[in-house]
mmCIF file of all heavy atoms in Angstrom:
data_model
loop_
_atom_site.group_PDB
_atom_site.id
_atom_site.type_symbol
_atom_site.label_atom_id
_atom_site.label_comp_id
_atom_site.label_asym_id
_atom_site.label_seq_id
_atom_site.Cartn_x
_atom_site.Cartn_y
_atom_site.Cartn_z
ATOM 1 N N HIS L 454 19.169 -2.996 10.040
ATOM 2 C CA HIS L 454 20.179 -3.453 10.984
ATOM 3 C C HIS L 454 21.555 -3.455 10.329
ATOM 4 O O HIS L 454 21.689 -3.612 9.106
ATOM 5 C CB HIS L 454 19.826 -4.860 11.477
ATOM 6 C CG HIS L 454 20.486 -5.238 12.760
ATOM 7 N ND1 HIS L 454 21.763 -5.762 12.798
ATOM 8 C CD2 HIS L 454 20.059 -5.165 14.049
ATOM 9 C CE1 HIS L 454 22.087 -6.010 14.050
ATOM 10 N NE2 HIS L 454 21.086 -5.659 14.834
ATOM 11 N N GLN L 455 22.595 -3.278 11.139
ATOM 12 C CA GLN L 455 23.970 -3.333 10.624
ATOM 13 C C GLN L 455 24.269 -4.681 9.973
ATOM 14 O O GLN L 455 25.146 -4.785 9.110
ATOM 15 C CB GLN L 455 24.974 -3.080 11.758
ATOM 16 C CG GLN L 455 24.897 -1.706 12.397
ATOM 17 C CD GLN L 455 25.561 -0.617 11.564
ATOM 18 O OE1 GLN L 455 26.095 -0.862 10.487
ATOM 19 N NE2 GLN L 455 25.534 0.610 12.079
ATOM 20 N N GLU L 456 23.509 -5.726 10.364
ATOM 21 C CA GLU L 456 23.722 -7.046 9.786
ATOM 22 C C GLU L 456 23.004 -7.229 8.452
ATOM 23 O O GLU L 456 23.013 -8.314 7.875
ATOM 24 C CB GLU L 456 23.245 -8.107 10.778
ATOM 25 C CG GLU L 456 24.063 -8.136 12.069
ATOM 26 C CD GLU L 456 23.505 -9.097 13.100
ATOM 27 O OE1 GLU L 456 22.538 -9.838 12.767
ATOM 28 O OE2 GLU L 456 24.021 -9.126 14.233
ATOM 29 N N GLY L 457 22.384 -6.154 7.960
ATOM 30 C CA GLY L 457 21.755 -6.198 6.641
ATOM 31 C C GLY L 457 20.398 -6.869 6.628
ATOM 32 O O GLY L 457 19.978 -7.404 5.591
ATOM 33 N N VAL L 458 19.680 -6.831 7.747
ATOM 34 C CA VAL L 458 18.338 -7.400 7.795
ATOM 35 C C VAL L 458 17.343 -6.321 8.210
ATOM 36 O O VAL L 458 17.698 -5.333 8.849
ATOM 37 C CB VAL L 458 18.255 -8.590 8.785
ATOM 38 C CG1 VAL L 458 19.154 -9.727 8.325
ATOM 39 C CG2 VAL L 458 18.621 -8.156 10.200
ATOM 40 N N GLY L 459 16.082 -6.518 7.834
ATOM 41 C CA GLY L 459 15.041 -5.589 8.214
ATOM 42 C C GLY L 459 14.779 -5.629 9.710
ATOM 43 O O GLY L 459 14.944 -6.665 10.365
ATOM 44 N N THR L 460 14.374 -4.497 10.244
ATOM 45 C CA THR L 460 14.125 -4.371 11.675
ATOM 46 C C THR L 460 12.959 -3.415 11.891
ATOM 47 O O THR L 460 12.814 -2.430 11.162
ATOM 48 C CB THR L 460 15.367 -3.828 12.406
ATOM 49 O OG1 THR L 460 16.495 -4.648 12.095
ATOM 50 C CG2 THR L 460 15.171 -3.805 13.905
ATOM 51 N N ILE L 461 12.122 -3.714 12.896
ATOM 52 C CA ILE L 461 11.056 -2.802 13.300
ATOM 53 C C ILE L 461 11.379 -2.310 14.706
ATOM 54 O O ILE L 461 11.635 -3.115 15.610
ATOM 55 C CB ILE L 461 9.685 -3.489 13.297
ATOM 56 C CG1 ILE L 461 9.385 -4.102 11.924
ATOM 57 C CG2 ILE L 461 8.594 -2.496 13.695
ATOM 58 C CD1 ILE L 461 9.343 -3.126 10.786
ATOM 59 N N VAL L 462 11.384 -0.992 14.889
ATOM 60 C CA VAL L 462 11.601 -0.427 16.218
ATOM 61 C C VAL L 462 10.289 0.139 16.736
ATOM 62 O O VAL L 462 9.369 0.446 15.970
ATOM 63 C CB VAL L 462 12.696 0.665 16.217
ATOM 64 C CG1 VAL L 462 14.005 0.101 15.701
ATOM 65 C CG2 VAL L 462 12.278 1.867 15.395
ATOM 66 N N LEU L 463 10.218 0.267 18.051
ATOM 67 C CA LEU L 463 9.038 0.800 18.704
ATOM 68 C C LEU L 463 9.394 2.114 19.378
ATOM 69 O O LEU L 463 10.346 2.194 20.159
ATOM 70 C CB LEU L 463 8.517 -0.193 19.743
ATOM 71 C CG LEU L 463 7.164 0.118 20.380
ATOM 72 C CD1 LEU L 463 6.040 -0.038 19.352
ATOM 73 C CD2 LEU L 463 6.902 -0.800 21.580
ATOM 74 N N LEU L 464 8.638 3.171 19.036
ATOM 75 C CA LEU L 464 8.742 4.461 19.710
ATOM 76 C C LEU L 464 7.522 4.651 20.602
ATOM 77 O O LEU L 464 6.449 4.097 20.329
ATOM 78 C CB LEU L 464 8.821 5.606 18.695
ATOM 79 C CG LEU L 464 9.932 5.561 17.646
ATOM 80 C CD1 LEU L 464 9.858 6.793 16.747
ATOM 81 C CD2 LEU L 464 11.300 5.442 18.281
ATOM 82 N N GLY L 465 7.667 5.452 21.656
ATOM 83 C CA GLY L 465 6.556 5.696 22.568
ATOM 84 C C GLY L 465 6.409 7.161 22.923
ATOM 85 O O GLY L 465 7.376 7.930 22.886
ATOM 86 N N SER L 466 5.170 7.558 23.268
ATOM 87 C CA SER L 466 4.892 8.946 23.623
ATOM 88 C C SER L 466 3.660 9.024 24.513
ATOM 89 O O SER L 466 2.723 8.233 24.366
ATOM 90 C CB SER L 466 4.653 9.788 22.369
ATOM 91 O OG SER L 466 4.248 11.106 22.691
ATOM 92 N N ASP L 467 3.648 10.004 25.402
ATOM 93 C CA ASP L 467 2.466 10.265 26.224
ATOM 94 C C ASP L 467 1.571 11.333 25.629
ATOM 95 O O ASP L 467 0.377 11.399 25.942
ATOM 96 C CB ASP L 467 2.889 10.690 27.632
ATOM 97 C CG ASP L 467 3.549 9.553 28.406
ATOM 98 O OD1 ASP L 467 3.086 8.402 28.273
ATOM 99 O OD2 ASP L 467 4.529 9.828 29.131
ATOM 100 N N ASP L 468 2.152 12.183 24.754
ATOM 101 C CA ASP L 468 1.402 13.366 24.315
ATOM 102 C C ASP L 468 1.448 13.626 22.810
ATOM 103 O O ASP L 468 0.945 14.646 22.347
ATOM 104 C CB ASP L 468 1.928 14.605 25.046
ATOM 105 C CG ASP L 468 3.413 14.863 24.766
ATOM 106 O OD1 ASP L 468 4.027 14.114 23.973
ATOM 107 O OD2 ASP L 468 3.946 15.829 25.357
ATOM 108 N N LEU L 469 2.062 12.743 22.026
ATOM 109 C CA LEU L 469 2.219 12.855 20.575
ATOM 110 C C LEU L 469 3.252 13.906 20.154
ATOM 111 O O LEU L 469 3.572 14.016 18.965
ATOM 112 C CB LEU L 469 0.887 13.156 19.868
ATOM 113 C CG LEU L 469 -0.203 12.089 19.994
ATOM 114 C CD1 LEU L 469 -1.477 12.549 19.278
ATOM 115 C CD2 LEU L 469 0.256 10.757 19.430
ATOM 116 N N ARG L 470 3.780 14.648 21.092
ATOM 117 C CA ARG L 470 4.772 15.676 20.766
ATOM 118 C C ARG L 470 6.186 15.277 21.168
ATOM 119 O O ARG L 470 7.158 15.774 20.584
ATOM 120 C CB ARG L 470 4.409 16.990 21.454
ATOM 121 C CG ARG L 470 3.150 17.645 20.901
ATOM 122 C CD ARG L 470 2.808 18.921 21.650
ATOM 123 N NE ARG L 470 1.636 19.597 21.101
ATOM 124 C CZ ARG L 470 1.656 20.509 20.129
ATOM 125 N NH1 ARG L 470 2.820 20.862 19.602
ATOM 126 N NH2 ARG L 470 0.552 21.074 19.697
#
Side-chain angles (χ1 to χ4, degrees):
H454 200 275
Q455 296 282 0
E456 295 175 6
V458 297
T460 306
I461 304 299
V462 302
L463 189 69
L464 304 181
S466 174
D467 292 321
D468 60 2
L469 297 178
R470 291 178 178 271

